[in-house]
């Protein structure tokens, strides 16, 4: 027994109020028709049903805003309240309800509750709901529901995508699971084979490399009948390679690595010394001229340091003199205190400066007071002019009789403002005196500073310069023994400093080695050997002694490495056998690939056969609906392995194009209806939700097609529950009449009336 919709309750969705549940009754009706003008909520009912069953609305576009997502909450009547949709369903032996609630604080997510008559409720998933209604989402979209806004989207799809959509309504869970199993099996097997192959190849390469190394070592250890005696090369040190009992558990390469740098140093000792010398000279050549100058004038630098305060004060005085600024603190300088006449002038300068500041402050304070006094006088004067009871010839300030009060007010104002002229004259006198004193101070400072200008420049230059270290001096004198005597400002004229520095650098350059010397990295490595193994002294062992030490160690390894080589050869043989088995496993991998290909082809064939099953009903149904098409009756589906094309025939020949390019919108709507009906005729199952939902499909269909459509509904789908909308009253009455003719119950909701009543 199939499942039918009894009732639909909607709260807080589009035009439906958040405070009052809107209810629609479907129970006992073979068809329910929603009619009335556009804009009164017909499509809202269909959106509610789609939202209830799928949790989404296909024609809702969430990406309309650039770079932003629009959520379904915009379709709520009130976004702060939940949207609730309840569908009541019935079958032959049970009733149940499905409630979907959107709380909107969780974006587009919703809660789905399944309730039975006996009062048991539980939360379910979308997949659980599809199982309960015995449908899937794709079947709902193409076999149950034609949306007003998306009715032609299927026909606009590419041919290959049409095939995917049509076949997706099949319940092919077992086939999909088998396909997925084979896919995972092949992927896992291939990955395992690949890993094992890489591991075996790597292992074989490692073993072959070890074999090659051991064979080379064994070649080296073939000392013949010669007996190599033990000789300790480093009596004061205990190196593993220099012990009489050689530890053969340690890799031979370890001893070889220990001996090689020592032998390299011994063989190239002269080049090593020249390289060290060259790098040492390079370090000395990097000493800056200013540091050399500090050493050159070391006696003068010591003098500067001893009299640091005196030179600092002289430097400050030079800076103040250049800027013609004399901070009050310079009177405490020892240099100033010793110049009594200069100190007296500076004191006069500060005395007049203070007087000038005092006068400037007084004049500013007087200006402020005069402004305030004039403002008050003016206010009193204005008030006096407005008071008719007061005699205008008596002064408002003193009460005396004055013939011309306006003139008296003006004279007093001018007298107050001119009273500051004498103070300004005093300020100007002080400014002239300060200028004369500034010139006098500058002349005195010039006489004081000029004799020391050259030394002051040297003082600045040598400030904060680090002197040559004892190590640097020792290194320099190892190349130029008389350096400290030559580089002395007492013996050499100051003008010759830069010439002397140039000669010094040229002398150092002459000691550098012109051969190819060791790189810095190599020199660091060999210098470590020189310091650690020979304590920074000339090696006392020869290259031949090191060769004999090498042979002595080799002789101890000969037997051990022979046995090790045989083990490796045996392992290489085992790995080779495993690789043969691995090649057989690769053949199995190919076989799995063949099985997967065959399964996929069979899957495609199965899909084709399904679509081929709807060809005849589609042709007949489309012929009935599109009876006015001038090129012939009936649309047929052309199917191959990858695509579906909908075509028509004209005068016994095929039109070489898809119908989408030649049909009108009304005819395309007719084809969409035909596809839905064809799918329902072939694919309808027992115990499924037996509803057809059509949102305004007749808006562009002609009258004859509308009659054919109505006849087809009542004749071919007598037990299917129809939910349909139209804004054309004549077509609404047509469908109601057709259902009533065959004694089928039909009800009608005029959405304009419903809206006005609510």
């Amino acid at each position: 027994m199939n499942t039918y919709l009894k009732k639909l309750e909607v709260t807080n969705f589009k035009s439906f109020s958040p405070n009052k549940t809107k209810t629609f009754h479907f129970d006992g009706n073979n068809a329910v028709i929603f009619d009335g003008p556009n804009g009164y909520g017909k499509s809202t009912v269909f959106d509610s049903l789609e939202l209830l069953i799928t949790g989404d609305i296909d024609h809702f576009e969430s990406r309309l805003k650039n770079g932003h997502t629009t959520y379904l909450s915009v379709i709520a009547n009130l976004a702060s309240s939940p949207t609730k949709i309840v569908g009541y369903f019935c079958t032959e032996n049970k009733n149940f309800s499905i409630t979907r609630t959107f709380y909107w604080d969780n974006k587009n997510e919703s809660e789905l509750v399944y309730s039975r008559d006996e009062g048991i409720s539980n939360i379910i998933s979308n997949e659980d709901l599809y199982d309960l209604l015995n449908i899937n989402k794709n079947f709902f979209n193409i076999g149950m529901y034609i949306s007003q806004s998306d009715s032609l989207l299927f026909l606009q799809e590419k041919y290959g995508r049409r095939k995917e959509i049509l076949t997706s309504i099949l319940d092919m869970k077992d086939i999909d699971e088998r396909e997925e199993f084979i896919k995972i099996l092949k992927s896992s097997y291939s990955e395992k084979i690949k890993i094992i192959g890489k591991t075996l190849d790597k292992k074989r390469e490692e073993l072959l490399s070890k074999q090659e190394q051991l064979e080379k070592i064994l070649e080296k250890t073939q000392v013949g009948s010669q007996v190599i005696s033990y000789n300790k090369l480093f009596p004061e040190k205990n190196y593993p390679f220099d012990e009489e009992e050689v530890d053969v558990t340690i890799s031979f390469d370890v001893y070889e690595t220990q001996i090689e740098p020592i032998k390299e140093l011994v063989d190239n000792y002269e080049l090593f010394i020249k390289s060290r010398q060259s790098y040492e000279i390079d370090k000395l050549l990097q000493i800056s001229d200013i540091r050399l100058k500090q050493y050159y004038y070391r006696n003068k630098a010591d003098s500067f340091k001893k009299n640091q305060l005196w030179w600092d004060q002289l430097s400050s005085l030079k800076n103040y003199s250049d800027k013609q600024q004399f901070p009050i603190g310079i009177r405490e300088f020892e240099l100033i205190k010793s110049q009594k006449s200069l100190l007296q002038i500076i004191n006069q300068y500060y005395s007049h400066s203070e007087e000038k500041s005092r006068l400037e402050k007084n004049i500013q304070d007087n200006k402020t007071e005069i402004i305030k006094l004039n403002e008050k006088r003016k206010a009193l004067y204005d008030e006096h002019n407005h008071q008719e009871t007061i005699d205008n010839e008596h002064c408002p300030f003193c009460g005396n009789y004055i013939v011309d009060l306006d003139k008296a007010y003006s004279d007093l104002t001018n007298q107050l403002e001119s009273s500051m002229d004498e103070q300004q004259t005093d300020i100007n006198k002080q400014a002239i005196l300060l200028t004369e004193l500034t010139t006098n101070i500058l002349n005195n400072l010039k006489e004081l500073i000029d004799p020391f200008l050259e030394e002051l420049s040297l003082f600045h230059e040598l400030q904060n310069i680090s002197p040559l270290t004892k190590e640097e001096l020792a290194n320099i004198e190892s190349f130029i023994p008389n350096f400290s005597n030559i580089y002395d400002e007492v013996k050499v004229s100051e003008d010759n400093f830069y010439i002397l520095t140039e000669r010094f650098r040229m002398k150092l350059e002459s000691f550098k080695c012109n051969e190819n010397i060791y790189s810095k990295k190599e020199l660091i490595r060999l210098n470590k050997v020189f310091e650690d193994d020979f304590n920074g002294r000339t090696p006392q062992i020869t290259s031949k002694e090191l060769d004999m030490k090498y042979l002595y160690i080799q002789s101890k390894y000969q037997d051990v490495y022979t046995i090790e080589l045989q083990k490796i050869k045996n392992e290489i043989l085992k790995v080779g056998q495993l690789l043969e088995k691995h090649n057989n496993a690769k053949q199995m991998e190919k076989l799995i690939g063949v099985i997967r290909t065959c399964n996929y082809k069979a899957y495609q064939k199965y899909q084709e056969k399904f679509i081929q099953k709807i060809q005849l009903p589609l042709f007949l149904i489309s012929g009935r609906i599109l009876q006015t098409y001038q090129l012939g009756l009936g649309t047929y589906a052309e199917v191959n392995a990858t695509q579906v094309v909908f075509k028509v025939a004209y005068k016994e020949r095929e039109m070489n194009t898809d119908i989408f390019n030649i049909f009108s919108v009304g005819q395309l709507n007719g084809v969409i209806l035909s596809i839905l009906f064809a799918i329902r005729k072939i694919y309808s199952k027992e115990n499924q939700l037996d509803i057809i939902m059509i949102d305004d499909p007749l808006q562009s269909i002609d009258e004859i097609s509308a009659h054919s459509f109505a006849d087809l509904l009542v004749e071919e789908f007598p037990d299917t529950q129809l939910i349909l909308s139209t804004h054309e009253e004549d077509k609404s009455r047509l469908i109601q009449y057709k259902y009533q003719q065959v004694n089928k119950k039909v009800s009608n909701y005029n959405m304009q009336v419903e809206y006005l009543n609510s």
Side-chain angles (χ1 to χ4, degrees), residues 512-527:
K512 288 181 69 173
C513 177
N514 294 322
E515 302 175 24
N516 289 329
I517 60 175
Y518 283 113
S519 68
K520 192 171 184 179
K521 186 177 179 181
E522 292 171 328
L523 185 62
I524 291 171
R525 179 175 58 83
L526 290 176
N527 195 63

Side-chain angles (χ1 to χ4, degrees), residues 692-713:
I692 290 179
M693 297 164 50
I694 304 173
D695 184 15
D696 213 356
L698 307 179
Q699 57 183 320
S700 51
I701 292 180
D702 59 84
E703 296 297 330
I704 296 176
S705 296
H707 276 270
S708 300
F709 165 77
D711 287 334
L712 193 143
L713 277 174

Side-chain angles (χ1 to χ4, degrees), residues 435-546:
T435 302
E436 292 172 354
L437 287 169
T438 298
T439 303
N440 204 348
I441 292 170
L442 289 172
N443 291 335
N444 276 269
L445 286 176
K446 182 173 174 31
E447 290 178 10
L448 177 64
I449 295 168
D450 279 0
F452 300 101
L453 280 177
E454 233 180 278
E455 284 184 284
L456 187 60
S457 176
L458 184 63
F459 169 76
H460 288 150
E461 197 172 2
L462 298 183
Q463 282 287 85
N464 303 318
I465 302 300
S466 59
L468 296 180
T469 63
K470 290 181 180 180
E471 183 183 358
E472 288 173 327
L473 285 171
N475 288 339
I476 291 172
E477 294 203 340
S478 68
F479 297 104
I480 308 174
N482 59 344
F483 171 75
S484 59
N485 293 326
I486 295 172
Y487 233 71
D488 193 328
E489 82 253 29
V490 177
K491 296 179 181 179
V492 182
S493 169
E494 183 180 345
D495 295 337
N496 291 331
F497 164 72
Y498 289 106
I499 296 173
L500 188 63
T501 301
E502 185 178 355
R503 288 177 181 171
F504 161 72
R505 295 190 184 283
M506 289 175 63
K507 186 72 173 173
L508 286 178
E509 287 283 357
S510 68
F511 291 118
K512 288 181 69 173
C513 177
N514 294 322
E515 302 175 24
N516 289 329
I517 60 175
Y518 283 113
S519 68
K520 192 171 184 179
K521 186 177 179 181
E522 292 171 328
L523 185 62
I524 291 171
R525 179 175 58 83
L526 290 176
N527 195 63
K528 189 174 187 312
V529 176
F530 180 65
E531 296 295 337
D532 293 350
D533 299 333
F534 298 105
N535 300 319
R537 297 193 292 268
T538 305
Q540 299 300 311
I541 59 176
T542 64
S543 181
K544 184 176 180 182
E545 287 176 317
L546 287 167

Side-chain angles (χ1 to χ4, degrees), residues 58 136-147 151 153-155 161-170 610 614 646 672-680 683 692-693:
D58 255 11
N136 59 37
K137 184 174 181 179
N138 291 310
F139 180 78
F140 175 82
N141 287 336
I142 197 169
M144 289 180 65
Y145 179 36
I146 294 179
S147 167
S151 61
L153 286 184
F154 172 71
L155 292 176
R161 177 67 183 141
R162 289 175 180 174
K163 181 173 182 290
E164 291 176 15
I165 294 171
L166 283 173
T167 55
S168 65
I169 67 176
L170 290 167
F610 163 75
I614 70 168
F646 294 107
I672 280 293
L673 290 168
S674 302
I675 292 171
L676 183 146
F677 294 149
I679 289 171
R680 291 302 292 268
Y683 192 65
I692 290 179
M693 297 164 50

Side-chain angles (χ1 to χ4, degrees), residues 22 62-63 84 150 169 212 235 410 487 591 672 744 746:
K22 186 66 176 176
S62 61
R63 296 284 180 180
K84 185 176 181 181
D150 294 342
I169 67 176
E212 185 180 358
S410 177
Y487 233 71
L591 180 59
I672 280 293
K744 296 290 184 181
V746 60

Side-chain angles (χ1 to χ4, degrees), residues 56-100:
D56 200 358
I57 298 175
D58 255 11
H59 64 78
F60 182 85
E61 183 49 66
S62 61
R63 296 284 180 180
L64 286 177
K65 294 198 297 186
N66 290 340
H68 298 279
T69 299
T70 302
Y71 296 105
L72 275 172
S73 57
V74 300
I75 62 177
N77 188 295
L78 183 63
S80 59
S81 296
T83 293
K84 185 176 181 181
I85 304 170
V86 185
Y88 296 87
F89 299 89
C90 65
T91 62
E92 185 177 23
N93 51 15
K94 70 174 180 177
N95 295 317
F96 62 90
S97 69
I98 301 294
T99 304
R100 188 183 293 273

